[in-house]
């Protein structure tokens, strides 16, 4: 049969064969003017409906007259309408019926994954089976679906998306289930390293990380974002197609992936991409919706966003992500959005627990979660961070008990400093310094958060001292007892020389804290001098060793040759005289060091007596009085410096001092 050329006029569709139409079929708002023979030769259902119409001519005539009255403007064609059929709830609507009609007329229809499911359902609805007519629509669509669509991951997703238009029938025919199984099985063969955050955002993150400066006590630059690198364009388009699925189908697909033991990181990446597409504002770096998302669909309502968020969180793998801090940033974005949308308590608790498992990958900006509750007076949600930190410490304790600490089982026991714990310690110190400027933050909240970390979390307490200084500066009305309590969270023995120098001149610190700083600074100096004396005594023992060695060399030389013995003896005597002179110089230095140690011991004794006297006298004098008294009694003078808690600066300072001692 020759192919016919169809045409459409307004809401009417005509088949331009030169013959008048003898049947009108209505599908949705479209009227199709067709011919009986091509339709009845392919569709058993249309054949039955036309036969029923012909057996009731009165009804058909009435329908014809009504139709002619409505189509007065279309009298340009001579038509003899014998019957009219209305197909209610046709699968796929008028577009799908148009393609089915073209197939009946012998017009070639280009099959693709986006129309294959509706066409398969249309063939089922019209009963276009192989028994009724050879090489019919059902067999053609089934063959293309099995041989082309299900062989490709991307095509399977597109076919699954098209099932939404014909869901009841597509579900009963098994099309939806076959698409989901194909996607789940083929996704397992994709390289997990290609999955992650979108390429554009990863690239922007790399630029920001490379140009970032040290912020908030050095915390901001110590944990840099790791870009996920260049992703394959195929993977990006795979994700773009996946995000177009409805929430119902997406949920079924994720469940199938989890049942099939798919890599959890692939499942997590699918959830991340879908959430970013349907929940605006997750990423702080890109608040404006992308052009693709804004053009494809309007922004979902608050209820729909909450439903998507709770679905995403409920399917997140509970394992710790090992890829990068990208996942941690995404989780914090979900948590902020959950607070805004007032998500279920279980949803927020799950997010807090998962964040706690990988808290060391976060940055200070992630921790600054705004407080959205009217019951909370503080600017940031401190309670939320305390719960997250509790989950982190619980996980660390479980890891220690199971022997999974990154430092390894070296028998150090409590002396082991896990790198993750030290990273979190620096984050919390930076967080304390940030929230310390909040005038509504109570001293007890600040104190409890500061002492929640174990001692091993901080190599130096410079960051903690800075946080205390910020809090005291922002809360000048704090009582003396509260000041001493807050300063008690610092370990003065773990302050660097720079921090001690700054603290000694800090007018905001209570007297007891300043005295402790001075005392431990003197104690550190004493230990340093004692170590130098030990080194000097070790050096003083070297001449005796040299002398024994020289005597052995001399004895061997005399046994070998008398003539050479004299020359060797003369050279050894010169070396011995040089060693004696060096020994005398070292002894003078040692005597000088011992004298200085005795002076320091007397100063320490005086300091103890002053501390006892201060405790007995009660209220302190004015700042100038007691500070001047300490200066006159101890002879200590300090230059005001800015405290820098960077470990690298501390290490460089110590190296400089050691180099200076070696030069002396």
């Amino acid at each position: 049969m020759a192919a016919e050329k169809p045409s459409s006029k307004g809401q009417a569709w005509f088949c331009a064969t030169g013959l008048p139409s003898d049947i009108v079929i209505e599908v949705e708002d479209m009227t199709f003017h067709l011919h009986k023979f091509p339709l009845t030769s392919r569709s058993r259902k249309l054949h039955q409906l036309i036969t029923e119409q012909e057996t009731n001519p009165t009804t058909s005539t009435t329908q014809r007259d009504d139709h002619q009255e409505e189509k007065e403007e279309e009298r340009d064609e001579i038509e003899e309408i014998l019957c009219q059929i209305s197909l209610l709830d046709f699968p796929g609507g008028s577009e799908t019926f148009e393609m089915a009609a073209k197939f009946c007329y012998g017009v070639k229809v280009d099959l693709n994954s986006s129309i294959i499911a509706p066409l398969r359902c249309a063939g089922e609805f019209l009963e276009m089976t192989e028994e009724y007519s050879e090489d019919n629509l059902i067999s053609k669509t089934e063959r293309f679906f099995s041989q082309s669509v299900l062989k490709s991951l991307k095509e399977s997703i597109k076919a699954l998306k098209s099932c939404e238009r014909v869901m009841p029938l597509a579900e009963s025919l098994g099309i939806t289930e076959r698409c989901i199984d194909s996607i789940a099985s083929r996704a397992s063969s994709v390289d997990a390293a290609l999955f992650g955050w979108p390429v554009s955002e990863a690239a922007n993150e790399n630029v920001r990380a490379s140009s970032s400066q040290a912020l908030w006590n050095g915390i901001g630059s110590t944990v840099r974002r790791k870009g996920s690198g260049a992703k394959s364009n195929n993977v990006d388009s795979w994700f773009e197609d996946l995000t177009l699925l409805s929430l119902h189908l997406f949920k079924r697909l994720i469940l199938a992936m989890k049942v099939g033991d798919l890599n959890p990181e692939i499942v997590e990446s699918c959830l991340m991409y879908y959430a970013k597409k349907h929940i605006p504002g997750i990423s702080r770096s890109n608040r404006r919706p992308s052009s693709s998302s804004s053009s494809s669909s309007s922004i979902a309502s608050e209820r729909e966003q909450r439903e998507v968020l709770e679905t995403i969180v409920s399917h997140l793998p509970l394992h710790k992500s090992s890829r990068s801090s990208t996942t941690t940033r995404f989780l914090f974005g979900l948590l902020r959005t959950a607070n805004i949308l007032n998500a279920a308590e279980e949803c927020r608790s799950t997010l807090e627990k998962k964040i706690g498992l990988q808290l060391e990958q976060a940055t200070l900006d992630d921790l600054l979660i705004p407080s959205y509750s009217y019951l909370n007076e503080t600017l940031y949600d401190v309670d939320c961070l305390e719960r997250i930190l509790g989950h982190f410490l619980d996980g660390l304790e479980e890891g220690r008990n199971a022997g999974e600490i990154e430092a390894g089982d070296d028998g150090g026991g409590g002396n082991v400093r896990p790198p993750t714990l030290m990273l979190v310690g620096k984050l919390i110190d930076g967080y304390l310094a940030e929230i310390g400027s909040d005038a509504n933050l109570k001293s007890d909240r600040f104190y409890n958060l500061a002492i929640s970390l174990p001692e091993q979390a901080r190599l130096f307490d410079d960051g903690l001292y800075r946080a205390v200084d910020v809090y005291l500066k922002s809360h000048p009305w704090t009582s003396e007892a509260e000041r001493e309590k807050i300063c008690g969270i610092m370990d003065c023995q773990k302050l660097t020389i720079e921090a001690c120098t700054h603290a000694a001149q800090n007018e905001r610190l209570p007297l007891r804290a300043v005295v402790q700083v001075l005392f431990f600074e003197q104690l550190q100096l004493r230990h340093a001098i004692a170590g130098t004396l030990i080194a000097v005594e070790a050096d003083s023992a070297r001449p005796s060793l040299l002398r024994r060695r020289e005597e052995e060399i001399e004895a061997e030389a005399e046994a070998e040759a008398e003539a050479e013995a004299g020359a060797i003896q003369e050279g050894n005597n010169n070396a011995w005289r040089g060693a004696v002179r060096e020994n005398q110089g070292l002894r003078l230095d040692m005597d000088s060091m011992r004298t200085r140690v005795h002076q320091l011991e007397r100063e320490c004794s005086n300091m103890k007596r002053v501390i006892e006297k201060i405790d007995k006298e009660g209220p302190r004098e004015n700042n100038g009085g007691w500070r001047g008294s300490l200066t006159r009694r101890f002879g200590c003078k300090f230059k005001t410096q800015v405290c820098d808690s960077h470990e690298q600066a501390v290490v460089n300072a110590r190296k400089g001092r050691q180099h200076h001692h070696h030069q002396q």
Side-chain angles (χ1 to χ4, degrees):
M1 179 179 178
E4 314 292 347
K5 181 179 179 182
S7 63
S8 60
K9 296 182 179 180
Q11 297 298 318
W13 192 90
F14 298 85
C15 186
T17 61
L19 299 175
S21 301
D22 54 7
I23 184 173
V24 174
I25 299 179
E26 295 180 354
V27 180
E28 292 181 339
D29 58 347
M30 181 70 74
T31 302
F32 294 87
H33 299 257
L34 305 173
H35 303 85
K36 295 179 182 179
F37 177 74
L39 300 179
T40 56
S41 64
R42 288 290 188 177
S43 171
R44 177 184 282 115
K45 183 168 185 175
L46 289 178
H47 177 75
Q48 294 174 352
L49 292 175
I50 292 173
T51 302
E52 293 176 1
Q53 286 282 337
E54 291 176 347
T55 59
N56 191 357
T58 303
T59 304
S60 63
T61 303
T62 302
Q63 292 178 348
R64 182 182 69 246
D65 294 341
D66 294 339
H67 179 74
Q68 288 176 346
E69 291 177 358
E70 296 174 356
K71 303 294 183 179
E72 290 293 339
E73 68 278 4
E74 298 180 1
R75 290 184 177 274
D76 54 334
E77 290 189 11
I78 301 175
E79 299 180 354
E80 183 181 356
I81 302 176
L82 299 179
C83 64
Q84 181 174 347
I85 299 174
S86 179
L87 298 179
L88 301 176
D89 300 327
F90 187 83
S94 59
E95 294 181 0
T96 305
F97 182 80
E98 179 181 342
M99 289 184 287
K102 290 180 179 179
F103 178 82
C104 293
Y105 277 89
V107 178
K108 182 179 179 181
V109 178
D110 294 328
L111 299 178
N112 58 67
S113 56
S114 298
I115 65 173
I116 192 64
L119 269 181
R120 173 65 180 86
C121 293
E124 190 71 20
F125 183 87
L126 297 175
E127 300 180 17
M128 302 173 70
T129 62
E130 198 71 14
E131 292 79 7
Y132 186 77
S133 176
E134 293 183 0
D135 201 19
N136 216 338
L137 184 60
I138 291 180
S139 61
K140 277 185 172 293
T141 52
E142 274 291 341
R143 186 162 52 249
F144 181 83
F145 184 67
S146 302
Q147 297 178 358
S148 300
V149 176
L150 296 182
K151 300 293 184 180
S152 169
L153 178 62
K154 282 175 55 61
E155 301 304 320
S156 298
I157 297 176
K158 292 180 180 179
L160 180 61
K161 171 62 180 176
S162 67
C163 289
E164 296 175 1
R165 300 161 51 193
V166 291
M167 179 49 66
L169 188 54
E171 189 70 37
S172 62
L173 294 176
I175 300 176
T176 305
E177 191 68 25
R178 291 161 67 186
C179 289
I180 291 176
D181 293 341
S182 173
I183 296 170
S185 61
R186 296 190 179 280
S188 61
S189 61
V190 179
D191 186 5
L194 297 178
F195 288 76
W197 206 251
V199 177
S200 59
E201 186 165 341
N204 294 336
E205 192 61 43
N206 287 335
V207 175
R208 288 193 296 271
S210 62
S211 60
S212 61
Q213 301 293 330
L215 300 176
W216 297 300
N217 201 16
I219 303 301
S221 61
T222 54
V223 183
R224 290 192 174 185
R225 302 291 191 191
K226 297 179 182 178
S228 56
K231 308 283 194 306
S232 170
N233 291 332
N234 292 332
V235 174
D236 284 335
S237 58
W238 190 99
F239 275 120
E240 288 296 334
D241 295 335
L242 190 67
T243 57
L244 297 178
L245 296 176
S246 65
L247 182 60
H248 173 70
L249 288 180
F250 179 76
K251 188 188 303 184
R252 290 182 56 183
L253 177 60
I254 293 298
L255 288 174
M257 289 180 173
K258 297 175 73 172
V259 171
D261 293 331
L262 195 64
N263 188 333
E265 292 189 358
I266 296 180
V267 177
E268 190 174 57
S269 297
C270 295
L271 294 170
M272 290 170 59
Y273 227 103
Y274 193 87
K276 183 179 180 295
K277 181 79 170 183
H278 294 274
I279 306 176
I282 288 182
S283 175
R284 283 180 169 178
S285 60
N286 188 13
R287 291 296 187 184
R288 293 177 299 178
S290 61
S291 58
S292 59
S293 62
S294 60
S295 61
S296 61
S297 62
S298 59
I299 298 178
S301 64
E302 181 177 325
R303 181 187 61 81
E304 293 172 339
Q305 292 182 37
R306 181 166 55 249
E307 183 180 2
V308 172
L309 188 143
E310 292 177 353
T311 301
I312 295 296
V313 174
S314 63
H315 290 88
L316 280 174
L318 294 179
H319 78 292
K320 178 179 178 180
S321 179
S322 58
R323 289 177 301 170
S324 68
S325 59
T326 301
T327 305
T328 306
R329 177 188 54 191
F330 165 76
L331 294 175
F332 272 105
L334 283 182
L335 182 57
R336 286 191 298 269
T337 307
N339 292 333
I340 296 174
L341 298 177
N342 195 22
E345 186 66 28
E346 181 181 0
C347 173
R348 285 180 281 184
S349 178
T350 301
L351 282 173
E352 291 172 357
K353 184 174 182 180
K354 185 168 177 61
I355 290 173
L357 295 178
Q358 51 198 64
L359 183 59
E360 72 279 359
Q361 297 179 356
T363 62
L364 181 57
D365 184 61
D366 295 331
L367 302 185
L368 299 176
I369 303 174
S371 178
Y372 299 102
S373 175
Y374 293 104
L375 302 177
N376 199 342
E377 298 179 351
T378 56
L379 180 61
Y380 298 108
D381 195 344
V382 182
D383 293 333
C384 178
L385 183 65
E386 288 179 344
R387 292 191 296 269
I388 292 174
L389 183 59
H391 291 308
F392 168 78
L393 295 176
D394 293 342
L396 195 66
E397 184 65 25
E398 293 176 1
R400 180 182 293 109
N401 295 336
E404 297 177 355
I405 299 180
E406 294 183 20
D409 187 7
D410 56 359
N415 296 327
V416 177
R417 293 183 184 270
T420 56
L421 181 59
M422 298 185 67
L423 286 173
V424 172
K426 296 182 68 176
L427 281 173
I428 296 302
D429 288 348
Y431 182 79
L432 288 170
E434 186 67 24
I435 67 174
S437 58
D438 189 353
N440 295 324
L441 182 65
K442 306 300 182 188
S443 60
D444 291 339
R445 303 288 301 280
F446 184 88
Y447 177 83
N448 293 333
L449 181 59
I451 65 174
S452 59
L453 286 173
E455 182 182 357
Q456 295 85 354
R458 299 180 177 96
L459 183 61
F460 300 104
D461 275 7
D462 289 26
L464 193 57
Y465 163 67
R466 175 170 292 185
V468 170
D469 186 35
V470 170
Y471 183 85
L472 295 180
K473 182 179 180 180
S474 303
H475 300 75
W477 56 84
T478 307
S479 64
E480 187 69 19
E482 291 178 341
R483 287 173 177 267
E484 292 185 356
K485 179 181 178 180
I486 293 175
C487 291
I489 64 179
M490 298 185 302
D491 186 357
C492 296
Q493 299 184 68
K494 295 169 68 174
L495 293 178
T496 61
I497 297 298
E498 292 81 3
C500 289
T501 303
H502 188 276
Q505 301 296 317
N506 195 337
E507 301 290 339
R508 290 180 287 271
L509 297 183
L511 174 60
R512 183 182 296 273
V514 174
V515 173
Q516 289 179 352
V517 170
L518 293 173
F519 175 77
F520 287 112
E521 185 180 22
Q522 295 291 334
L523 192 62
Q524 289 179 4
L525 182 58
R526 178 182 177 183
H527 289 166
I529 294 174
T532 304
L533 291 177
I534 293 175
V536 170
E537 291 178 355
D539 292 339
S540 64
R542 293 178 182 175
S544 59
L545 296 176
L546 290 173
R547 183 176 181 181
R548 287 196 297 270
R549 179 58 180 164
E550 290 165 358
E551 290 176 352
E552 293 175 359
I553 294 174
E554 182 182 355
E556 293 175 359
E558 290 178 353
E560 292 177 357
E562 288 292 340
E564 296 179 359
I568 294 175
Q569 182 65 28
E570 182 179 358
N572 289 337
N573 288 338
N574 294 334
W576 170 247
R577 284 193 293 270
V580 170
R581 287 194 297 270
E582 182 181 357
N583 188 19
Q584 291 176 351
L586 291 175
R587 288 185 179 277
L588 291 175
D589 293 339
M590 185 176 61
D591 292 339
S592 176
M593 289 290 184
R594 286 174 178 171
T595 303
R596 180 56 180 162
V597 169
H598 292 322
Q599 293 177 357
L600 290 175
E601 289 177 347
R602 288 195 296 270
E603 291 179 2
C604 290
S605 300
N606 293 337
M607 289 175 65
K608 291 180 180 179
R609 287 195 296 270
V610 170
I611 294 173
E612 295 174 357
K613 183 177 179 181
I614 290 173
D615 292 337
K616 292 179 180 179
E617 290 178 356
R620 64 177 183 178
E621 304 172 8
N622 56 54
N623 292 337
W626 66 265
R627 294 183 188 276
S629 177
L630 290 177
T631 303
R632 289 193 300 271
R633 289 176 181 270
F634 305 140
C636 300
K637 295 182 179 180
F638 303 95
K639 296 180 180 179
T640 302
Q641 298 180 10
V642 178
C643 174
D644 187 359
S645 62
H646 295 297
E647 291 186 18
Q648 187 64 33
V650 174
V651 172
N652 292 336
R654 291 190 172 182
K655 288 183 178 180
R657 289 196 295 271
Q658 294 175 358
H659 180 68
H660 179 67
H661 287 308
H662 289 317
Q663 289 180 345
Q664 290 181 348

